[in-house]
Amino acid sequence: MRAPLATGLILIAGFTAAQELPKAELKKRLKDDAHSSWIYDDLSAAFAEAKKTGKPILAVFRCVP
Amino acid sequence: MDGQFARREDVGLALVLDRFVAVRVVQAWGLDLAKFQFDWDLTWAAVFLNADGTIYGRYGTRRAHENADQEISFEGFRYALEGALEIHSRYPGNAQELAGKQASKPRWPVPESMPALKDRPNVAPANGTRAGCVHCHQVHEGEVWSLRKSKSDIPDRLLWSFPMPDTVGLSLDPAEGAVVRKSELAAKEAGFEVGDRIRRFGGQPILSIADVQWVLQFAGDGGSVEAEVERKKQIVPLKLSLKGGWRRAGDYTWRSLAWSLRHRLAGTGPLKPSPSSPRRVEGMKEATMQLEVVKLPPDWVKDRNLSAAAELKDGDVIIAVDGRTDLKREADFFAYLLQEKPAGSSVKLKVKRGPKEIEAVIKLP
């Protein structure tokens, strides 16, 4: 049972990844000129960076456009 | 403000920003609602938190559709950022006082799992267009319509959400954290004075007006909220009493949610209190219900209530609903339809159309 389940999960992950635009491309399409120091639309990356550095997180939610 | 801030044009603010891991989120797709909850109808919102997910505070306030930046400022935001750093410096020793700032358990884990959002064409990862994005305001709409779809009660807290402190008589200065610039009604009775800086509210440290709204959002009817204010370098304890139905003194019809209520429930555009209607001129009492249909939605609004749209016309004035004439504001009218009329039921409207009075029966989704 494990192999089909794992295959299924990989397929789902692959499908989701295929649907999502690379963040740099999303930023470009949105014509969002936010400074390059922002982690762009990636909360997981922000949590990982905060764990590494010990800094708090500032998450800004903005509808663009 | 967003553009200037995102581009780091204010040097002082940018230096404070460097002490954070700063992430800019431009879509609500996949957003963990067990962690992130805030006023969904803002155009710009900020949350300060620890890497373990503990929320330190929120920033971002809006009171109307127009002038969306009226209640936010660089000064106020910088105050909140510095306050969040101070909280972070004491963490985890201060974890207990932050407990009330954490998100409540959501019924749906992510926006796209809400039944009312599932069939929406834009519910997918953002593709760089306005129509290809789950917007934050849809989280609020999704919750309300999903509850209706599942025949669950819709509490006042979801309609009159994130009450402005003015609702309890507190006018706060956007250029400060939460400093009182006017105190009246319940706030005055509680002893709030002009110039007081709210340090704690509901036991939580306060960084912003949004933090005050967060406490009010979960405050019950007929309860009270403990506060601590700084006044002339002294900490003064106060107790704010909230009467039954207190949050209904506010308004929610500036929120995006109101458009879906208009379209889907009444099949109309905005319903405005009608001071110029003939009935008013004829001497009808000021307090009587008169909601004028300002505009019907265009055909491209797919989910408009077609049965209602067939019954009502531009310029109609609704003067009674199921025999009730006390629903004077648009907010009261839609709250009645949502909270007291189940999906699939009908509502009887008495409508003034020109010189005639007609009856319209509309079926509710």
Side-chain angles (χ1 to χ4, degrees):
Chain A
M1 281 300 286
R2 282 188 181 173
L5 178 63
T7 309
L9 289 173
I10 290 165
L11 283 172
I12 290 166
F15 180 67
T16 305
Q19 282 185 317
E20 290 182 20
L21 281 179
K23 301 303 180 186
E25 176 62 20
L26 177 61
K27 187 169 184 259
K28 192 174 154 191
R29 286 198 194 178
L30 290 170
K31 297 181 181 134
D32 189 351
D33 60 355
H35 194 271
S36 59
S37 60
W38 289 91
I39 293 175
Y40 203 77
D41 201 51
D42 190 342
L43 282 164
S44 299
F47 278 102
E49 179 70 8
K51 274 181 187 147
K52 199 169 78 183
T53 61
K55 289 181 180 180
I57 298 167
L58 163 65
V60 165
F61 296 84
R62 168 66 174 164
C63 259
V64 186
Chain B
M1 179 169 148
D2 174 63
Q4 288 170 283
F5 176 61
R7 293 188 294 270
R8 295 170 58 109
E9 289 174 2
D10 184 306
V11 178
L13 201 55
L15 288 173
V16 182
L17 198 60
D18 283 339
R19 298 172 67 191
F20 288 84
V21 171
V23 55
R24 183 167 168 84
V25 183
V26 296
Q27 60 178 322
W29 168 267
L31 189 63
D32 179 357
L33 299 178
K35 201 167 281 160
F36 292 101
Q37 290 174 15
F38 48 90
D39 185 340
W40 302 110
D41 294 291
L42 306 177
T43 56
W44 192 90
V47 178
F48 317 109
L49 69 161
N50 186 277
D52 69 6
T54 301
I55 305 289
Y56 294 155
R58 295 168 176 81
Y59 188 84
T61 292
R62 189 176 180 182
R63 70 164 70 238
H65 185 68
E66 300 79 21
N67 303 320
D69 284 358
Q70 189 183 332
E71 302 297 329
I72 55 178
S73 71
F74 280 113
E75 297 88 344
F77 187 50
R78 184 170 177 161
Y79 178 91
L81 285 168
E82 286 173 344
L85 288 170
E86 192 276 326
I87 289 175
H88 184 65
S89 72
R90 291 189 291 117
Y91 188 80
N94 54 356
Q96 200 175 348
E97 69 185 35
L98 302 173
K101 287 181 176 276
Q102 310 316 306
S104 55
K105 190 182 175 194
R107 184 153 172 174
W108 295 282
V110 289
E112 58 269 28
S113 65
M114 293 179 177
L117 294 185
K118 277 183 175 167
D119 54 352
R120 294 266 153 179
N122 67 324
V123 177
N127 66 8
T129 67
R130 183 161 181 79
C133 180
V134 181
H135 298 272
C136 285
H137 68 78
Q138 288 188 292
V139 179
H140 187 196
E141 291 162 43
E143 192 172 4
V144 169
W145 285 105
S146 296
L147 287 173
R148 186 161 178 88
K149 208 167 181 173
S150 59
K151 298 183 167 47
S152 302
D153 289 342
I154 297 170
D156 278 5
R157 183 176 61 78
L158 265 187
L159 294 178
W160 283 272
S161 62
F162 291 91
M164 280 299 292
D166 308 62
T167 311
V168 293
L170 270 176
S171 172
L172 303 177
D173 188 347
E176 300 269 1
V179 172
V180 179
R181 60 181 178 189
K182 194 173 177 184
S183 173
E184 52 193 354
L185 309 171
K188 191 174 181 184
E189 285 169 24
F192 284 89
E193 293 181 6
V194 173
D196 283 354
R197 180 182 292 278
I198 302 174
R199 290 290 190 191
R200 282 178 189 276
F201 198 58
Q204 301 171 27
I206 296 299
L207 305 179
S208 64
I209 300 173
D211 278 351
V212 174
Q213 289 178 279
W214 175 262
V215 175
L216 290 175
Q217 171 70 357
F218 296 99
D221 267 6
S224 62
V225 179
E226 306 277 347
E228 283 179 15
V229 300
E230 185 183 327
R231 183 184 299 159
K232 295 173 187 166
K233 297 184 180 171
Q234 301 283 318
I235 295 296
V236 180
L238 300 172
K239 190 175 188 176
L240 177 72
S241 297
L242 301 168
K243 292 177 181 156
W246 63 274
R247 69 177 68 225
R248 288 190 173 223
D251 184 26
Y252 63 83
T253 57
W254 63 269
R255 295 175 179 274
S256 295
L257 169 71
W259 286 100
S260 74
L261 301 182
R262 290 162 185 148
H263 295 165
R264 295 169 76 168
L265 290 173
T268 67
L271 302 175
K272 300 277 186 199
S274 174
S276 60
S277 83
R279 293 192 71 90
R280 176 67 55 84
V281 175
E282 287 163 13
M284 188 177 242
K285 284 182 186 172
E286 181 100 2
T288 304
M289 179 178 181
Q290 296 182 85
L291 291 174
E292 182 173 351
V293 178
V294 175
K295 202 174 183 183
L296 295 178
D299 289 346
W300 57 260
V301 178
K302 296 275 184 286
D303 57 3
R304 68 193 192 282
N305 184 338
L306 292 174
S307 84
E311 293 285 330
L312 296 170
K313 294 185 186 303
D314 278 354
D316 281 355
V317 180
I318 301 169
I319 55 175
V321 184
D322 287 343
R324 291 182 61 168
T325 56
D326 60 325
L327 306 170
K328 292 166 227 155
R329 301 177 308 165
E330 190 184 27
D332 302 325
F333 173 73
F334 285 120
Y336 172 73
L337 299 188
L338 263 187
Q339 295 178 312
E340 297 186 42
K341 304 293 290 189
S345 67
S346 295
V347 65
K348 201 182 283 183
L349 305 179
K350 192 185 275 187
V351 174
K352 183 87 177 158
R353 180 174 295 162
K356 292 182 185 167
E357 252 180 40
I358 61 163
E359 193 173 83
V361 177
I362 60 177
K363 194 170 179 187
L364 300 172

